[in-house]
Amino acid sequence: MTSRSLLRLALAGAVASGAVLLATLPADASKAPKTVPVRLLALNDFHGNLEPPTGSSGRMVDENGNTVDAGGAAYVATHMKALADKNTIAVAQGDLIGATPLISAAYHDEPSVEFLGKLGLKVAAVGNHEFDEGYAELRRIMKGGCHPVDGCSPAGTWKGAQFDYVGANVLFKNRDEKTDALAALGQQPQVKQLLSDWGVPALPPVSIKWMNGVPIGFIGLVTQTTPSIVTSEGIKDLKFVDEVKAANVASKLLKLVGVKAQVVLVHEGDQVTAGQSPDACSAIPGAGNRIATQVDAEVDLILSGHSHQAYMCKVKDPAGNDRVYSQGGSFGRVITQVDLNVNVKSRDIDRASVVADNHVVTRTVAADPEISAFVQTWKDRVAPVANKAVGTISADITNVAAPSGESALGNFIADSQLAATKTGGNAQIALMNPGGVRASLSYATSPVNEGDGVVTYGEAFTVQPFNNLMQAVTLTGAQLKTVLEQQFTGGPNNQAFTKILQPSANFTYTYNRTAAWGSKVSDMKIDGVAVTDTQSIRVAANNFLVGGGDAFLAFRDGTDLWSGPLDIDAFVEHLGKNNPIAPPATNRITAVG
């Protein structure tokens, strides 16, 4: 029997009941092995890095404490082939696409998903970035078809992902939503009842893969904070529920059809103590650890993502037993290998047999020739756009935060956004979210243009890869102050950590680190004139922020919404003026306390 998603099997009529999964042991059970081996090879947070990532994003501390160059699709393929054996299932923990380099983003990440299919990936949890272009676009990536606006890529009609995307905690808000998932479960009344009580799944919650005669169940989860970190319009019909509760429902679903060997693939993780081996348990307990320790004891293994860190831990499940909790960095720099044995009679994983290891994807091996050619094909296709010079800079303009929380590049982007929204949007100031500044601009000589300081479109896109719309709304002075207060932890929106918005040059203010939440921000000025609580201010920001992204919910109180150009277009236009451009000063915010 070939392995597919449980719900996809049900939908296709391939599984009429759980009896298919409860196949009997061989007639002569005495000759059957007591356990069978399974190897998992896992990636997380690939983010479309088909080419080797550069700078710090392309380096990794290895098992010996050395910092080495790592990542790149052709090297991932070489390492995967070396690690894979006949017992292998390749899996992933989300953010395979979204926030990607131009080579992938220009074609709505079809090249990255095709590469992962070539890699042999079988099942992946969705990450928050899988929703960057909305639920409908994720469904297209999963199922196939050409983009509704941009049409087919140079490769022709998109055929869909060759692996299963799963997300047990992604439900429709409307319980009356009719999906093929619930409609086809009439022959499995217990399963239908369980899902009906839980809600209407927007994605398959689980995927079952067969290996050496035993079924392995994979439960997909994505961070429940997804609505605050993606554009709201694309997920307006969805809700993202508690990961632990969803995992436990999915575990029951698997048990109902006889699957006891269970693995959680979760796009949520923890931060680490810097500079540690990828095999060290350096994770600082946080959101990922909560999930890893609280999901049902039936789950044998937790593979995580989202925080872009590498760690290898053992935690206690609710029954007090050890289970592995790991993550493999990001950008294709680490492959997590997990070897385990499944008891043939009980069909459960022998926890004592589980051995896990994080392998750094070094570039000291030969690049896989097939994948190298594949990447080069897409590089050639995008080259005319990527290599176009759009401006020059006089020195590095970095996204490294100053003590105030500003960065030179963040400030420059805010200036570009104000310039693009003054006409039409009547914007008076602009604010940029720091998480949207994805890379620095380097003064180093461009490989495709003569002269130092040249910035290409591809380099600009790496900085601003989301294709957000620029918008402007009207806020009162008091509402603007609330937005700025929401930069800090301790408020009602549960901001996870301080996120300092990058201001345009004409907007200044002071914040006090030690003041109580709600009283941190003072001395707001626009063009040197003090802001009053009652005055109306036209504020420009990208549609992610305007929709309340990153827990800046006060933006939703804005009125008279105006939409303008894409943020990348505003950035590129600003890069083309007043060349060469010097790094802006980081003196717009005064931090005290």
Side-chain angles (χ1 to χ4, degrees):
M1 176 182 175
T2 58
S3 51
R4 302 177 179 86
S5 154
L6 170 64
L7 289 184
R8 192 173 297 169
L9 282 170
L11 302 178
V15 172
S17 72
V20 174
L21 297 179
L22 296 172
T24 59
L25 292 170
D28 187 357
S30 65
K31 295 182 179 180
K34 292 183 179 180
T35 62
V36 293
V38 176
R39 173 171 291 183
L40 305 180
L41 295 178
L43 285 172
N44 60 275
D45 297 271
F46 181 65
H47 285 290
N49 278 265
L50 296 173
E51 295 182 273
T54 60
S56 61
S57 296
R59 294 190 291 269
M60 197 77 200
V61 176
D62 68 12
E63 295 87 341
N64 300 313
N66 300 315
T67 300
V68 298
D69 291 336
Y75 297 106
V76 172
T78 296
H79 282 273
M80 285 285 282
K81 286 180 179 179
L83 294 171
D85 61 18
K86 64 181 181 180
N87 308 310
T88 295
I89 304 172
V91 300
Q93 296 96 263
D95 277 10
L96 304 177
I97 60 176
T100 52
L102 188 63
I103 187 176
S104 181
Y107 306 105
H108 300 281
D109 288 323
E110 291 174 20
S112 292
V113 178
E114 184 178 354
F115 157 68
L116 293 163
K118 290 178 179 292
L119 201 64
L121 188 65
K122 297 302 181 185
V123 56
V126 289
N128 54 283
H129 280 288
E130 264 76 19
F131 295 92
D132 278 353
E133 294 191 52
Y135 174 70
E137 172 62 6
L138 173 59
R139 293 280 298 180
R140 185 189 74 84
I141 288 294
M142 292 167 62
K143 300 294 186 181
C146 296
H147 191 271
V149 175
D150 295 334
C152 296
S153 81
T157 301
W158 173 239
K159 296 180 176 60
Q162 297 179 47
F163 53 90
D164 301 334
Y165 261 129
V166 287
N169 65 326
V170 186
L171 307 177
F172 284 109
K173 289 179 179 177
N174 182 1
R175 292 185 65 91
D176 295 330
E177 185 79 37
K178 301 301 182 183
T179 68
D180 47 13
L182 290 181
L185 289 173
Q187 296 183 45
Q188 297 195 49
Q190 289 178 299
V191 173
K192 181 178 180 181
Q193 185 62 51
L194 178 64
L195 289 177
S196 179
D197 291 343
W198 173 240
V200 182
L203 295 167
V206 300
S207 177
I208 297 170
K209 302 300 175 188
W210 288 79
M211 180 56 64
N212 295 324
V214 295
I216 314 294
F218 296 94
I219 299 168
L221 302 170
V222 60
T223 174
Q224 63 178 312
T225 67
T226 295
S228 71
I229 51 178
V230 303
T231 302
S232 57
E233 180 63 24
I235 57 168
K236 62 183 179 181
D237 297 324
L238 305 179
K239 60 181 178 180
F240 295 77
V241 300
D242 181 82
E243 302 96 340
V244 173
K245 292 179 181 178
N248 292 345
V249 170
S251 177
K252 290 178 182 178
L253 173 63
L254 289 170
K255 288 167 70 175
L256 280 174
V257 293
V259 179
K260 297 181 179 179
Q262 299 182 8
V263 178
V264 159
L265 306 174
V266 55
H267 191 73
E268 181 62 280
D270 293 324
Q271 298 302 315
V272 301
T273 303
Q276 301 294 300
S277 162
D279 290 326
C281 184
S282 55
I284 301 168
N289 182 271
R290 180 189 76 89
I291 297 164
T293 56
Q294 292 184 16
V295 297
D296 195 288
E298 189 70 43
V299 173
D300 301 288
L301 181 66
I302 311 288
L303 302 179
S304 70
H306 188 50
S307 59
H308 290 204
Q309 307 300 328
Y311 48 81
M312 185 63 64
C313 297
K314 282 189 177 180
V315 297
K316 296 294 185 182
D317 70 16
N321 299 315
D322 285 342
R323 62 181 167 200
V324 166
Y325 165 50
S326 72
Q327 187 176 160
S330 61
F331 308 145
R333 294 176 294 168
V334 175
I335 296 169
T336 301
Q337 174 184 337
V338 183
D339 288 306
L340 54 90
N341 292 325
V342 180
N343 185 290
V344 173
K345 185 175 181 179
S346 69
R347 291 197 165 180
D348 207 350
I349 292 172
D350 175 7
R351 295 273 185 98
S353 73
V354 177
V355 178
D357 189 13
N358 273 335
H359 298 277
V360 176
V361 177
T362 61
R363 300 180 200 164
T364 55
V365 299
D368 183 87
E370 178 190 356
I371 299 303
S372 292
F374 173 81
V375 172
Q376 187 61 49
T377 295
W378 287 102
K379 188 176 179 180
D380 292 343
R381 285 168 172 165
V382 80
V385 174
N387 295 340
K388 181 181 178 182
V390 296
T392 58
I393 56 179
S394 62
D396 292 350
I397 306 181
T398 76
N399 62 347
V400 177
S404 65
E406 305 166 75
S407 72
L409 188 51
N411 284 353
F412 180 83
I413 291 171
D415 292 342
S416 75
Q417 295 181 345
L418 178 59
T421 54
K422 278 185 174 180
T423 301
N426 299 314
Q428 295 168 268
I429 65 170
L431 296 170
M432 173 63 192
N433 56 306
V437 188
R438 304 298 288 192
S440 297
L441 287 178
S442 174
Y443 178 76
T445 303
S446 170
V448 293
N449 293 287
E450 294 182 359
D452 287 346
V454 172
V455 179
T456 66
Y457 184 86
E459 291 167 333
F461 191 89
T462 300
V463 173
Q464 289 269 267
F466 293 106
N467 281 315
N468 286 320
L469 274 177
M470 287 312 306
Q471 296 185 319
V473 293
T474 298
L475 296 173
T476 66
Q479 290 169 332
L480 176 58
K481 182 180 184 299
T482 300
V483 167
L484 298 180
E485 291 286 339
Q486 289 174 346
Q487 297 174 122
F488 305 99
T489 59
N493 299 336
N494 294 316
Q495 184 71 274
F497 51 89
T498 296
K499 299 177 183 177
I500 300 299
L501 297 173
Q502 313 292 288
S504 53
N506 65 332
F507 179 54
T508 60
Y509 69 94
T510 297
Y511 70 79
N512 188 326
R513 297 183 181 92
T514 61
W517 195 94
S519 300
K520 289 182 177 291
V521 175
S522 62
D523 198 27
M524 295 188 300
K525 294 179 180 179
I526 299 175
D527 296 318
V529 178
V531 173
T532 67
D533 285 349
T534 57
Q535 78 179 90
S536 296
I537 305 162
R538 293 291 287 169
V539 181
N542 58 48
N543 62 300
F544 167 70
L545 275 178
V546 171
D550 271 349
F552 288 99
L553 300 188
F555 262 114
R556 296 181 182 177
D557 297 329
T559 58
D560 300 323
L561 175 68
W562 172 88
S563 295
L566 294 175
D567 55 1
I568 179 62
D569 293 339
F571 183 44
V572 167
E573 182 177 1
H574 210 58
L575 281 167
K577 297 178 179 179
N578 304 312
N579 286 278
I581 296 163
T586 52
N587 59 358
R588 303 172 186 183
I589 302 172
T590 301
V592 299

